[in-house]
PDB file of all heavy atoms in Angstrom:
ATOM      1  N   ALA A  81      11.999  17.264  -6.101  1.00  0.00           N
ATOM      2  CA  ALA A  81      13.122  17.519  -5.191  1.00  0.00           C
ATOM      3  C   ALA A  81      12.728  17.340  -3.720  1.00  0.00           C
ATOM      4  O   ALA A  81      13.582  17.068  -2.881  1.00  0.00           O
ATOM      5  CB  ALA A  81      13.669  18.932  -5.413  1.00  0.00           C
ATOM      6  N   LEU A  82      11.445  17.477  -3.402  1.00  0.00           N
ATOM      7  CA  LEU A  82      10.980  17.309  -2.025  1.00  0.00           C
ATOM      8  C   LEU A  82      10.253  15.981  -1.844  1.00  0.00           C
ATOM      9  O   LEU A  82       9.635  15.729  -0.813  1.00  0.00           O
ATOM     10  CB  LEU A  82      10.071  18.475  -1.627  1.00  0.00           C
ATOM     11  CG  LEU A  82      10.748  19.853  -1.650  1.00  0.00           C
ATOM     12  CD1 LEU A  82       9.754  20.947  -1.325  1.00  0.00           C
ATOM     13  CD2 LEU A  82      11.935  19.901  -0.699  1.00  0.00           C
ATOM     14  N   ALA A  83      10.335  15.123  -2.871  1.00  0.00           N
ATOM     15  CA  ALA A  83       9.754  13.778  -2.812  1.00  0.00           C
ATOM     16  C   ALA A  83      10.918  12.787  -2.843  1.00  0.00           C
ATOM     17  O   ALA A  83      11.683  12.708  -1.893  1.00  0.00           O
ATOM     18  CB  ALA A  83       8.767  13.563  -3.960  1.00  0.00           C
ATOM     19  N   TYR A  84      11.079  12.068  -3.945  1.00  0.00           N
ATOM     20  CA  TYR A  84      12.140  11.064  -4.035  1.00  0.00           C
ATOM     21  C   TYR A  84      13.286  11.488  -4.950  1.00  0.00           C
ATOM     22  O   TYR A  84      14.220  10.719  -5.174  1.00  0.00           O
ATOM     23  CB  TYR A  84      11.554   9.727  -4.498  1.00  0.00           C
ATOM     24  CG  TYR A  84      10.536   9.187  -3.518  1.00  0.00           C
ATOM     25  CD1 TYR A  84       9.175   9.288  -3.778  1.00  0.00           C
ATOM     26  CD2 TYR A  84      10.936   8.610  -2.320  1.00  0.00           C
ATOM     27  CE1 TYR A  84       8.240   8.816  -2.870  1.00  0.00           C
ATOM     28  CE2 TYR A  84      10.009   8.138  -1.399  1.00  0.00           C
ATOM     29  CZ  TYR A  84       8.665   8.249  -1.682  1.00  0.00           C
ATOM     30  OH  TYR A  84       7.739   7.789  -0.777  1.00  0.00           O
ATOM     31  N   GLY A  85      13.200  12.704  -5.505  1.00  0.00           N
ATOM     32  CA  GLY A  85      14.285  13.228  -6.331  1.00  0.00           C
ATOM     33  C   GLY A  85      14.610  12.333  -7.512  1.00  0.00           C
ATOM     34  O   GLY A  85      13.710  11.913  -8.239  1.00  0.00           O
ATOM     35  N   GLU A  86      15.868  12.024  -7.662  1.00  0.00           N
ATOM     36  CA  GLU A  86      16.331  11.242  -8.815  1.00  0.00           C
ATOM     37  C   GLU A  86      16.153   9.742  -8.636  1.00  0.00           C
ATOM     38  O   GLU A  86      16.487   8.970  -9.529  1.00  0.00           O
ATOM     39  CB  GLU A  86      17.801  11.578  -9.105  1.00  0.00           C
ATOM     40  CG  GLU A  86      17.978  13.027  -9.508  1.00  0.00           C
ATOM     41  CD  GLU A  86      19.433  13.399  -9.759  1.00  0.00           C
ATOM     42  OE1 GLU A  86      20.316  12.518  -9.643  1.00  0.00           O
ATOM     43  OE2 GLU A  86      19.672  14.573 -10.068  1.00  0.00           O
ATOM     44  N   ARG A  87      15.637   9.318  -7.473  1.00  0.00           N
ATOM     45  CA  ARG A  87      15.414   7.886  -7.241  1.00  0.00           C
ATOM     46  C   ARG A  87      14.056   7.459  -7.772  1.00  0.00           C
ATOM     47  O   ARG A  87      13.056   8.115  -7.507  1.00  0.00           O
ATOM     48  CB  ARG A  87      15.431   7.569  -5.735  1.00  0.00           C
ATOM     49  CG  ARG A  87      16.772   7.652  -5.080  1.00  0.00           C
ATOM     50  CD  ARG A  87      16.662   7.260  -3.633  1.00  0.00           C
ATOM     51  NE  ARG A  87      15.390   7.756  -3.074  1.00  0.00           N
ATOM     52  CZ  ARG A  87      15.004   7.613  -1.835  1.00  0.00           C
ATOM     53  NH1 ARG A  87      15.769   6.990  -0.982  1.00  0.00           N
ATOM     54  NH2 ARG A  87      13.850   8.081  -1.405  1.00  0.00           N
ATOM     55  N   ALA A  88      14.037   6.342  -8.452  1.00  0.00           N
ATOM     56  CA  ALA A  88      12.764   5.715  -8.824  1.00  0.00           C
ATOM     57  C   ALA A  88      12.355   4.824  -7.659  1.00  0.00           C
ATOM     58  O   ALA A  88      13.207   4.252  -6.985  1.00  0.00           O
ATOM     59  CB  ALA A  88      12.926   4.892 -10.093  1.00  0.00           C
ATOM     60  N   ILE A  89      11.060   4.719  -7.410  1.00  0.00           N
ATOM     61  CA  ILE A  89      10.562   3.840  -6.349  1.00  0.00           C
ATOM     62  C   ILE A  89       9.882   2.670  -7.046  1.00  0.00           C
ATOM     63  O   ILE A  89       8.736   2.767  -7.492  1.00  0.00           O
ATOM     64  CB  ILE A  89       9.582   4.586  -5.414  1.00  0.00           C
ATOM     65  CG1 ILE A  89      10.246   5.840  -4.819  1.00  0.00           C
ATOM     66  CG2 ILE A  89       9.078   3.653  -4.313  1.00  0.00           C
ATOM     67  CD1 ILE A  89      11.505   5.574  -4.012  1.00  0.00           C
ATOM     68  N   GLY A  90      10.636   1.586  -7.166  1.00  0.00           N
ATOM     69  CA  GLY A  90      10.129   0.411  -7.880  1.00  0.00           C
ATOM     70  C   GLY A  90       9.662   0.801  -9.270  1.00  0.00           C
ATOM     71  O   GLY A  90      10.269   1.651  -9.921  1.00  0.00           O
ATOM     72  N   ASP A  91       8.584   0.191  -9.718  1.00  0.00           N
ATOM     73  CA  ASP A  91       8.049   0.552 -11.030  1.00  0.00           C
ATOM     74  C   ASP A  91       6.836   1.476 -10.890  1.00  0.00           C
ATOM     75  O   ASP A  91       6.161   1.782 -11.849  1.00  0.00           O
ATOM     76  CB  ASP A  91       7.688  -0.699 -11.838  1.00  0.00           C
ATOM     77  CG  ASP A  91       6.687  -1.590 -11.106  1.00  0.00           C
ATOM     78  OD1 ASP A  91       6.260  -1.240  -9.987  1.00  0.00           O
ATOM     79  OD2 ASP A  91       6.340  -2.639 -11.670  1.00  0.00           O
ATOM     80  N   ARG A  92       6.580   1.929  -9.644  1.00  0.00           N
ATOM     81  CA  ARG A  92       5.409   2.773  -9.392  1.00  0.00           C
ATOM     82  C   ARG A  92       5.689   4.260  -9.569  1.00  0.00           C
ATOM     83  O   ARG A  92       4.838   5.002 -10.032  1.00  0.00           O
ATOM     84  CB  ARG A  92       4.882   2.552  -7.971  1.00  0.00           C
ATOM     85  CG  ARG A  92       4.420   1.132  -7.709  1.00  0.00           C
ATOM     86  CD  ARG A  92       4.038   0.935  -6.252  1.00  0.00           C
ATOM     87  NE  ARG A  92       5.171   1.287  -5.405  1.00  0.00           N
ATOM     88  CZ  ARG A  92       5.074   1.857  -4.213  1.00  0.00           C
ATOM     89  NH1 ARG A  92       3.912   2.135  -3.699  1.00  0.00           N
ATOM     90  NH2 ARG A  92       6.149   2.137  -3.509  1.00  0.00           N
ATOM     91  N   ILE A  93       6.881   4.697  -9.127  1.00  0.00           N
ATOM     92  CA  ILE A  93       7.206   6.121  -9.178  1.00  0.00           C
ATOM     93  C   ILE A  93       8.516   6.306  -9.947  1.00  0.00           C
ATOM     94  O   ILE A  93       9.580   5.945  -9.456  1.00  0.00           O
ATOM     95  CB  ILE A  93       7.353   6.715  -7.751  1.00  0.00           C
ATOM     96  CG1 ILE A  93       6.090   6.453  -6.931  1.00  0.00           C
ATOM     97  CG2 ILE A  93       7.649   8.208  -7.830  1.00  0.00           C
ATOM     98  CD1 ILE A  93       6.200   6.859  -5.478  1.00  0.00           C
ATOM     99  N   PRO A  94       8.426   6.872 -11.148  1.00  0.00           N
ATOM    100  CA  PRO A  94       9.656   7.118 -11.918  1.00  0.00           C
ATOM    101  C   PRO A  94      10.539   8.174 -11.242  1.00  0.00           C
ATOM    102  O   PRO A  94      10.052   8.984 -10.440  1.00  0.00           O
ATOM    103  CB  PRO A  94       9.139   7.646 -13.262  1.00  0.00           C
ATOM    104  CG  PRO A  94       7.688   7.288 -13.307  1.00  0.00           C
ATOM    105  CD  PRO A  94       7.228   7.230 -11.880  1.00  0.00           C
TER     106      PRO A  94
END
Side-chain angles (χ1 to χ4, degrees):
L82 298 177
Y84 298 103
E86 296 178 1
R87 289 183 323 182
I89 304 301
D91 57 1
R92 298 174 303 145
I93 304 174

